[in-house]
Amino acid sequence: MQTDSYLESSMITIIQTFHKYSGQKYKLKKAELKQLINNEMNHFIMENDTLDELFADLDQNKDLEIDFKEFIALIAMVTSACHELFTLK
Amino acid sequence: MQTDSYLESSMITIIQTFHKYSGQKYKLKKAELKQLINNEMNHFIMENDTLDELFADLDQNKDLEIDFKEFIALIAMVTSACHELFTLK
């Protein structure tokens, strides 16, 4: 069987990174999201005092945890912002 | 400077894969999306006769091209579906 493409490997890395911080409950508490951002996205998101706001925005169903669908929305948002930087004239 | 994390590298891979098929216009025509799916996502999306339907779903602004925001929505959808498979009991 052919191996996964770089794109497919990237999607798996996103899932594995989420699991690294969520554990088997597959949800991130605010402290876990903060750790993930600080350790894994510190070039793309600066630590600042807006984590509360970001968390509230992501937590669409207001259960005070970030599930995978909510997390992937963050990844999509950040990747789109990066793409815009890449394509600025 | 510290190197990018695996998660950050994954986000960059997603952008680079999009550019590989979009070229400098930063939009995918239907034939380009088809090539990208066949070459880079063939373990995750099967080629079938629903490309027309998928394209119409993704093309939110109906300009007959997929821009990066529309593409990242596809990646989010496919990654979420994968995550559900991973976490099925």
Side-chain angles (χ1 to χ4, degrees):
Chain A
M1 189 176 165
Q2 195 194 334
T3 54
D4 289 343
S5 71
Y6 291 126
L7 183 61
E8 289 170 327
S9 300
S10 297
M11 294 193 269
I12 292 174
T13 297
I14 293 169
I15 293 172
Q16 287 172 333
T17 305
F18 179 81
H19 288 176
K20 184 173 161 191
Y21 292 85
S22 75
Q24 297 276 324
K25 68 182 180 328
Y26 305 129
K27 296 198 172 192
L28 296 172
K29 294 178 195 300
K30 197 186 286 184
E32 291 162 342
L33 178 68
K34 186 176 177 178
Q35 266 199 310
L36 189 159
I37 289 175
N38 286 347
N39 296 345
E40 315 287 348
M41 299 172 78
N42 68 336
H43 295 93
F44 290 7
I45 299 185
M46 295 304 184
E47 163 136 53
N48 55 30
D49 53 5
T50 63
L51 182 73
D52 285 347
E53 207 177 309
L54 175 66
F55 193 89
D57 282 352
L58 292 175
D59 183 20
Q60 288 289 312
N61 64 357
K62 306 298 171 206
D63 66 350
L64 299 181
E65 296 190 302
I66 302 298
D67 63 23
F68 189 77
K69 275 191 201 304
E70 292 163 342
F71 176 68
I72 196 80
L74 169 67
I75 299 294
M77 195 175 75
V78 174
T79 310
S80 281
C82 278
H83 178 259
E84 281 176 27
L85 284 178
F86 265 109
T87 57
L88 279 180
K89 314 234 153 145
Chain B
M1 189 176 166
Q2 193 194 337
T3 55
D4 290 342
S5 71
Y6 291 125
L7 182 62
E8 289 170 328
S9 300
S10 296
M11 294 193 270
I12 292 175
T13 297
I14 293 169
I15 293 172
Q16 286 172 334
T17 304
F18 179 81
H19 287 175
K20 182 172 161 191
Y21 292 86
S22 76
Q24 296 276 325
K25 68 184 182 325
Y26 305 129
K27 295 198 172 192
L28 297 171
K29 293 178 196 302
K30 197 186 286 183
E32 292 162 343
L33 178 68
K34 186 176 176 175
Q35 267 198 311
L36 189 159
I37 288 175
N38 287 345
N39 296 345
E40 315 287 348
M41 300 173 78
N42 68 335
H43 296 91
F44 289 8
I45 298 187
M46 295 303 183
E47 163 137 51
N48 54 30
D49 54 4
T50 63
L51 182 72
D52 285 348
E53 207 178 308
L54 175 66
F55 193 89
D57 281 353
L58 292 176
D59 183 21
Q60 289 287 316
N61 64 357
K62 304 299 171 204
D63 66 351
L64 299 180
E65 295 190 303
I66 302 300
D67 64 23
F68 189 77
K69 275 191 201 305
E70 293 164 342
F71 176 68
I72 196 79
L74 170 66
I75 299 295
M77 193 175 75
V78 174
T79 311
S80 281
C82 279
H83 178 260
E84 280 177 27
L85 284 178
F86 264 109
T87 55
L88 278 181
K89 314 241 150 139

